[in-house]
Amino acid sequence: MEDKRLSITDERTGSTYKIPVADGALRSMDLRQIKTGPEDFGLMGYDPAFMNTASCRSSVTFIDGEKGILRYRGYPIEDLAEQCTFLEVAYLILTGELPTAQELEVWVGQVRHHTMLHETTKKFLEGFRYDAHPMGMFISTVAALSTIYPEARNVLDPASRRLQIQRLVGKVPTIAAYTYRHSLGYPYVYPDNELSYPENFMNMLWRMVEPRYQANPTLARALDILFILHADHEQNCSTNTMRAVGSSQADPYVSTAAAAAALSGPLHGGANEAVLKMLDEIGSKDRVPAYIERVKAGHVKLMGFGHRVYKNYDPRARIIKWTADRVFEVTGRSPKLEIALELERVALEDDYFIKRKLYPNVDFYSGIIYQAMGFKPEMFTVLFAIPRTVGWLAQWQEMLEDPEQKIARPRQIYTGHGKREFVPMEKRVAKVASAAR
Ligand code: SDX
């Protein structure tokens, strides 16, 4: 729906342009008509890191950063985390609607049908060193699935897309668990499809010689809730990567691997691992003030704090804090929680953080729960990638079905040399390496 139009006067030429505004945005392509002459390429928008650029229209997730609101397909995250299972929410995110009991039963059956990995995948994993980072193994193994399912290249075929989505949702917990078992030198545990999604994941992680794994129901439910909270988050860095790679019509396995690679960075999904390293570095509550001073001096970041969109408390962090109390009733209270709570208390009263609207985000407390459940910090981002695979796939599918989308190929503002005469080897003079290069 067209809201109104902008009237833009170009003082370079005196010309005035009427630019349509729709949904609070103008189309950057409408700026190209603003030229200083026939030779002029026309105006572009310049927006490093896409601080103020909408790359797509999406109906999957809604975030209101000022109000701390997060909804999947219109349903508040609080309601979904309290009343749904992760696979129920995965169905919602992927299809747009909450499933009926019968639809959920069929969906769970489809996912369960794809929890096994091709045996060659295990051999692929064996090629990694014992101390390989699980996220590196996860990314590589997801990409390797593209070699097992070449038909996945038919990205324009809805039936093929549905099958690959079922495969990926079913297999990412198995891959994650196998990376964990590999890092410990333990044999792989095959999926047990009698168990729920989180229970089966725990089974593949932690079953040893017992005939049947018995998951602690509180921990299984906590994992389910954590998966729900991490499932999607509109156009974050890794989702943007999924859409960009998928826009070339690359298959969903290599696209998901690319998205997981983006997630692995410490400013994004790698932050939960970085939070634990930060808490270990601080060591005790009484050393919190000194660390906060280092943050304010710009020497370190307060990992797990701040967000591009949330300028209020991340609603997921609030639910994670509630979940942490349930987990600690089973595992015992983590001493790191006291440090984290003190960090939060001090930061939320300090003008440096208040002025910059820095609040705890989804990564601030999640790692403390994961560690209390027995995960090593290196596994935390893999735990993020499992549920986020659902969001990446929903956004990938939406991109492919969007008639306005095509291969992603941004423009640039060129800042390099003008045309230069070629210099033959014998005439070249070594340049002093500039620190900026
Ligand atoms: C996730 O996008 C998503 O939706 C991501 C995510 C998802 O579900 O997909 O929500 C998951 O990635 C959560 C974020 C996890 N990352 C961290 O916790 C790492 C620490 N946080 C920061 O690096 C930072 O807050 C970002 C990366 C999350 C956001 O960075 P922005 O939006 O680019 O903000 P900025 O870096 O421009 O910071 C603005 C100011 C700066 O200060 P000034 O230059 O104005 O003086 O705030 C400061 C920053 O230095 N600042 C911090 C800080 N985060 C921002 N200062 C100290 N500690 C921090 N954590």
Side-chain angles (χ1 to χ4, degrees), residues 69-197:
I69 291 173
L70 169 58
R71 299 184 196 130
Y72 294 156
R73 301 288 189 180
Y75 294 99
I77 190 69
E78 295 81 1
D79 295 345
L80 298 174
E82 186 183 340
Q83 310 199 46
C84 293
T85 64
F86 167 69
L87 280 185
E88 199 176 347
V89 171
Y91 184 97
L92 167 68
I93 289 172
L94 286 163
T95 68
E97 297 299 335
L98 285 166
T100 62
Q102 206 264 335
E103 287 167 335
L104 182 58
E105 187 182 349
V106 169
W107 165 239
V108 170
Q110 288 167 336
V111 171
R112 281 177 166 164
H113 186 71
H114 293 291
T115 52
M116 294 280 279
L117 289 177
H118 194 286
E119 286 294 295
T120 54
T121 312
K122 288 162 54 176
K123 294 189 177 60
F124 181 82
L125 275 164
E126 283 316 304
F128 290 105
R129 279 171 48 112
Y130 71 94
D131 59 352
H133 195 290
M135 203 52 194
M137 290 194 270
F138 178 86
I139 293 162
S140 315
T141 307
V142 169
L145 291 182
S146 67
T147 66
I148 297 174
Y149 307 110
E151 75 278 13
R153 289 193 187 91
N154 303 325
V155 298
L156 301 180
D157 173 0
S160 174
R161 290 204 299 265
R162 272 195 300 277
L163 175 57
Q164 312 319 324
I165 287 172
Q166 291 164 17
R167 281 172 169 159
L168 271 160
V169 176
K171 294 179 196 304
V172 287
T174 312
I175 293 170
Y178 283 17
T179 67
Y180 182 74
R181 299 285 288 199
H182 174 78
S183 68
L184 296 171
Y186 293 164
Y188 301 125
V189 173
Y190 281 98
D192 177 345
N193 285 339
E194 297 298 309
L195 300 174
S196 71
Y197 198 78

Side-chain angles (χ1 to χ4, degrees), residues 340-352:
L341 289 170
E342 181 65 6
L343 264 177
E344 178 184 352
R345 186 191 67 76
V346 172
L348 295 188
E349 293 172 356
D350 187 299
D351 190 51
Y352 175 93

Side-chain angles (χ1 to χ4, degrees), residues 95-322:
T95 68
E97 297 299 335
L98 285 166
T100 62
Q102 206 264 335
E103 287 167 335
L104 182 58
E105 187 182 349
V106 169
W107 165 239
V108 170
Q110 288 167 336
V111 171
R112 281 177 166 164
H113 186 71
H114 293 291
T115 52
M116 294 280 279
L117 289 177
H118 194 286
E119 286 294 295
T120 54
T121 312
K122 288 162 54 176
K123 294 189 177 60
F124 181 82
L125 275 164
E126 283 316 304
F128 290 105
R129 279 171 48 112
Y130 71 94
D131 59 352
H133 195 290
M135 203 52 194
M137 290 194 270
F138 178 86
I139 293 162
S140 315
T141 307
V142 169
L145 291 182
S146 67
T147 66
I148 297 174
Y149 307 110
E151 75 278 13
R153 289 193 187 91
N154 303 325
V155 298
L156 301 180
D157 173 0
S160 174
R161 290 204 299 265
R162 272 195 300 277
L163 175 57
Q164 312 319 324
I165 287 172
Q166 291 164 17
R167 281 172 169 159
L168 271 160
V169 176
K171 294 179 196 304
V172 287
T174 312
I175 293 170
Y178 283 17
T179 67
Y180 182 74
R181 299 285 288 199
H182 174 78
S183 68
L184 296 171
Y186 293 164
Y188 301 125
V189 173
Y190 281 98
D192 177 345
N193 285 339
E194 297 298 309
L195 300 174
S196 71
Y197 198 78
E199 289 171 339
N200 177 42
F201 180 48
M202 295 164 76
N203 158 59
M204 295 186 290
L205 286 165
W206 291 317
R207 185 155 75 84
M208 297 308 276
V209 293
E210 67 273 31
R212 192 86 193 272
Y213 182 76
Q214 293 297 325
N216 176 296
T218 303
L219 301 186
R221 181 58 190 148
L223 258 186
D224 223 23
I225 292 172
L226 286 160
F227 282 174
I228 290 169
L229 298 175
H230 287 82
D232 190 61
H233 212 238
E234 58 138 276
Q235 305 312 313
N236 57 82
C237 178
S238 52
T239 296
N240 181 58
T241 305
M242 182 81 180
R243 282 176 168 262
V245 173
S247 73
S248 72
Q249 295 189 6
D251 74 65
Y253 299 102
V254 295
S255 300
T256 300
L263 185 74
S264 68
L267 295 187
H268 190 11
N272 50 23
E273 180 180 350
V275 167
L276 259 291
K277 292 197 172 95
M278 175 183 73
L279 296 176
D280 285 338
E281 182 185 342
I282 294 171
S284 61
K285 263 177 76 170
D286 60 317
R287 294 169 59 183
V288 161
Y291 192 84
I292 291 285
E293 289 313 308
R294 287 180 61 205
V295 171
K296 291 162 67 176
H299 299 322
V300 289
K301 282 191 181 294
L302 186 52
M303 299 312 279
F305 257 67
H307 201 277
R308 174 63 57 77
V309 176
Y310 289 124
K311 300 309 171 190
N312 199 321
Y313 213 95
D314 184 331
R316 300 168 295 178
R318 192 173 283 114
I319 301 169
I320 288 176
K321 256 174 97 172
W322 175 87

